[in-house]
Amino acid sequence: MLLAIPDVLSLDQINFARDQLNQAQWVDGLASAGYQGSQVKHNLQLPEERPEALALGDLILAMLERHPQFISAALPAVVYPPMFNLYGGGQHFGRHIDNAVRLLPGTGKKIRTDISATLFLSDPDEYEGGELQIVDTYGTHSVKLPAGHMVLYPSTSVHQVTPVTSGVRLASFFWVQSMIRDDAQRALLFSLDSSIQQLTASGADTQAVLQLTGNYHNLLRMWAEPV
Ligand code: NI
C-alpha cells in the first residue's frame, strides 16, 4: 500500500527542522549504504549520532506516536530513528530496494523493514526533479509532497529518487517494523479501520459497529506480532 499522510509536522516544526538542517554538517550518503545502494546512491546525509539528528528524530517520532492515520496504516511495532538527507546539484539515488534488516543504532537490536517512509521537508516548488518513484504492480508512481507531508510504501518496492537538477531537497526517511508483516493484511486492516471510523462518525447502528470493531481486533489478534 502506498499512502500519503498530510500534515505530520506543523509549519513551526518544519521551519525549526529546516533551521537545524541548514546549519548541519552533512556527509556523503554512502556512509550508511549497503553494497547494492552504494552503486547508485549519490546524496548527503546527516550522521545518525549528531545531536541535531537525534533531537529532530525524536520530534518526528513524538508526532507519529499521536498521528491516528500513521498508527492505523503502519500498525508499528518498532520505528527506526528518523534520518535526514539532502539532494542538490544533480544528486540522485538510483533504483534499489532497501535493506531487509537494519541494526537499531546503539542497541544491538535489529529491525525488519516492512514499511519505508519519506517525510518531505522542502516544498515541491523549491527544487526541480527529486521525485520519489516507487514501482508496484500498477506501475511506477511519482511522489513529491509538500513540506511536512509523508509517504509510506512497502519496503519490498523498487524505488529511486530522480536527479535534483536545481534547488535543494531536504527530507527525513526511516523504516517501520509493523506488527503486521504482510502488506496485503495490513492494507485490509487499514481499510476496515477507516470504515469503522466513518460508520462511527455517521452515527451508524451501534451494535453493527461494535461487531465490526470486534472483527477488526480479532483479525489483528490473529495476525499481530508485537515486539
Ligand atoms: Ni531507499
Side-chain angles (χ1 to χ4, degrees), residues 87 93-94 96-99 116 132 153 157 159-161 173 175:
Y87 293 81
F93 196 162
H96 66 281
I97 288 186
D98 294 342
N99 289 351
S116 298
L132 174 61
Y153 57 101
S157 317
H159 57 279
Q160 65 174 334
V161 177
F173 64 101
W175 299 273

Side-chain angles (χ1 to χ4, degrees), residues 77-184:
V78 189
V79 182
Y80 193 92
M83 297 173 67
F84 299 88
N85 60 18
L86 180 159
Y87 293 81
Q91 286 174 321
H92 66 284
F93 196 162
R95 287 162 57 87
H96 66 281
I97 288 186
D98 294 342
N99 289 351
V101 175
R102 299 195 74 98
L103 197 58
L104 278 171
T107 65
K109 292 184 182 159
K110 288 173 179 157
I111 175 177
R112 183 187 66 234
T113 58
D114 296 319
I115 302 169
S116 298
T118 295
L119 171 59
F120 290 80
L121 295 171
S122 300
D123 273 314
D125 60 3
E126 293 180 86
Y127 57 97
E128 296 286 335
E131 288 172 354
L132 174 61
Q133 294 189 336
I134 301 159
V135 181
D136 72 10
T137 52
Y138 288 93
T140 300
H141 307 271
S142 275
V143 183
K144 190 168 176 175
L145 298 175
H149 294 211
M150 178 171 75
V151 62
L152 301 180
Y153 57 101
S155 299
T156 50
S157 317
V158 172
H159 57 279
Q160 65 174 334
V161 177
T162 63
V164 174
T165 53
S166 72
V168 166
R169 176 192 191 272
L170 289 171
S172 173
F173 64 101
F174 55 93
W175 299 273
V176 179
Q177 178 172 321
S178 177
M179 290 189 291
I180 305 296
R181 178 182 196 151
D182 182 77
D183 186 63

